[in-house]
Amino acid sequence: MELNGAAAIVTGGASGLGGGTVERLARGGAKVTIFDLNADLGVALAERVGGHFIKVDVTDENAVAAAITEAEGLNGKARILVNCAGIGPPAKVIDRDGNPLPLGSFSKIVTINLIGTFNVLSKFAAALHAADPVGEERGVVINTASVAAYDGQIGQAAYAASKGGVVGMTLPIARELARYGIRVMTIAPGIFWTPLLATLPQEAQDSLGAQVPFPSASSRRPARDGRTSATRQRGGRLRQLQVRAVLRLAPSRPFRRRGCR
């Protein structure tokens, strides 16, 4: 997939991995539309990279369909979709007082991370499948799962379940959409610094960071706030993940179930 001049949509594109992906796509010459609920960050980033911002809830069918139509009016038929929208607040199945996790809390994470991903993907594919191909393909979809899909930790039951669902649906969807020349794949990043990770308690951040085998605690530099945080020190991986995600757009890449872990 040639980035230069291609229309792209990035969900959750106002910040974090989504924001980094928006910047990387724009540097490659893509015409990017950001789907996000954070209008302040989304508008600012869109202006900075010469893209567009549309405020949209990825779990709302009508809103997503309308946003894809609007994006097409702005940039032409979108050929690239990168799904980064997601949430991940930690929650144990049984809290410290012995109460069960409210079903609504579990459902919200699964609804945004899994159902939201499918919602945008399906609307994107429906809008694209009858379009004229560009070379040998029509477009590409990159979903974002997580290492938690394979190695979830305590407090990540809902998050791991949602990301495991993203991984599980990728191969059957890739097989289905192959006939239309639409590639579908999923990346499963490990720990890196984003606004989503910043919402976790410091204790949880340190626990997750301690599981990173390199750099070790002795080799980490103190963060700007004076704390030595493994998760902060791994923040440099965001640029690597941007590159990995965009490399998945290359035409030499086959239909893949997962890209990196």
Side-chain angles (χ1 to χ4, degrees), residues 204-236:
Q205 294 179 30
D206 292 340
S207 176
L208 289 170
Q211 299 169 40
V212 178
F214 184 82
S216 63
S218 61
S219 67
R220 295 178 194 129
R221 299 187 303 274
R224 291 181 180 179
D225 59 9
R227 296 177 299 186
T228 299
S229 169
T231 51
R232 284 182 180 271
Q233 298 305 312
R234 296 299 281 173

Side-chain angles (χ1 to χ4, degrees), residues 3 9 64-65 67-68 71 80 90 119-120 125 145 157 159-160 162 173 202 213 237 243:
L3 292 183
I9 293 171
V64 168
I68 289 174
I80 299 165
N119 186 33
V120 181
Y159 184 73
S162 69
I173 295 175
Q202 186 61 42
R237 292 192 62 204
V243 174

Side-chain angles (χ1 to χ4, degrees), residues 30-46:
K31 299 177 291 185
V32 187
T33 301
I34 299 169
F35 286 6
D36 207 301
L37 287 175
N38 192 322
D40 291 337
L41 292 179
V43 169
L45 178 56

Side-chain angles (χ1 to χ4, degrees), residues 9 33 35 54 56 62-74 76-78 81 119-128:
I9 293 171
T33 301
F35 286 6
I54 300 175
V56 58
N62 293 331
V64 168
I68 289 174
T69 299
E70 182 178 349
E72 182 173 341
L74 294 168
K77 181 70 70 177
L81 169 64
N119 186 33
V120 181
L121 181 157
S122 63
K123 305 296 186 298
F124 172 85
L128 180 60

Side-chain angles (χ1 to χ4, degrees), residues 2-29:
E2 176 62 45
L3 292 183
N4 190 30
I9 293 171
V10 181
T11 72
S15 63
L17 177 59
T21 301
V22 167
E23 293 177 343
R24 181 65 180 82
L25 288 169
R27 286 199 303 272

Side-chain angles (χ1 to χ4, degrees), residues 48-69:
R48 189 163 72 246
V49 303
H52 299 280
F53 170 79
I54 300 175
K55 186 174 182 178
V56 58
D57 178 353
V58 297
T59 68
D60 186 321
E61 286 198 79
N62 293 331
V64 168
I68 289 174
T69 299

